[in-house]
Amino acid sequence: QVQLVESGGGSVQAGGSLRLSCAVSGYTVSSGCMGWFRQVPGKEREGVAIILRGGSTGYADSAKGRFTISQDIAKNTVYLQMNGLKPEDTGMYFCAADPTGTCIEFQIWGRGTQVTVSS
């Protein structure tokens, strides 16, 4: 059974940093595409960052220059380092896996971790 478990969320002031972790079991993170998504109540879930099979990465415009996605293959864990946090970064952050590797069909999701940024 595949499980994705996010951790590392919390409450910080604007300008602060957080590192989110996504511990994966039952699936190898480097075998497909992994992504981080954010959801705010009343809004659609939006993609924040992705990391492809070969290690290439992609970011939403709002995350470029501030966030970094990475993976530790030995720990089978994906990270999202978030620096220079802004109040608009507030939301529930979800980790997801796309076994097809296309970064389009995210089929497996974690339960999320809450990030709150105060001004």
Side-chain angles (χ1 to χ4, degrees), residues 10-55:
S11 297
V12 296
Q13 290 191 327
S17 299
L18 285 173
R19 188 176 81 153
L20 306 184
S21 299
C22 174
V24 181
S25 59
Y27 173 79
T28 302
V29 297
S30 58
S31 64
C33 180
M34 298 293 299
W36 283 98
F37 296 78
R38 173 174 63 220
Q39 187 160 27
V40 177
K43 294 187 177 181
E44 289 191 3
R45 187 158 48 193
E46 60 176 343
V48 176
I50 56 172
I51 184 163
L52 285 75
R53 205 176 263 140

Side-chain angles (χ1 to χ4, degrees), residues 3-6 22 45 93-97 108-112:
Q3 280 192 319
L4 281 63
V5 180
E6 301 94 335
C22 174
R45 187 158 48 193
Y93 283 72
F94 296 88
C95 175
I108 308 165
W109 293 82
R111 293 190 173 186

Side-chain angles (χ1 to χ4, degrees), residues 71-113:
Q71 60 187 21
D72 185 326
I73 296 173
K75 294 183 178 180
N76 212 36
T77 299
V78 178
Y79 302 98
L80 184 67
Q81 177 68 45
M82 304 188 295
N83 300 326
L85 282 162
K86 304 175 181 180
E88 51 264 43
D89 295 319
T90 294
M92 185 69 80
Y93 283 72
F94 296 88
C95 175
D98 172 7
T100 70
T102 61
C103 298
I104 298 174
E105 302 177 39
F106 287 94
Q107 305 169 9
I108 308 165
W109 293 82
R111 293 190 173 186
T113 185

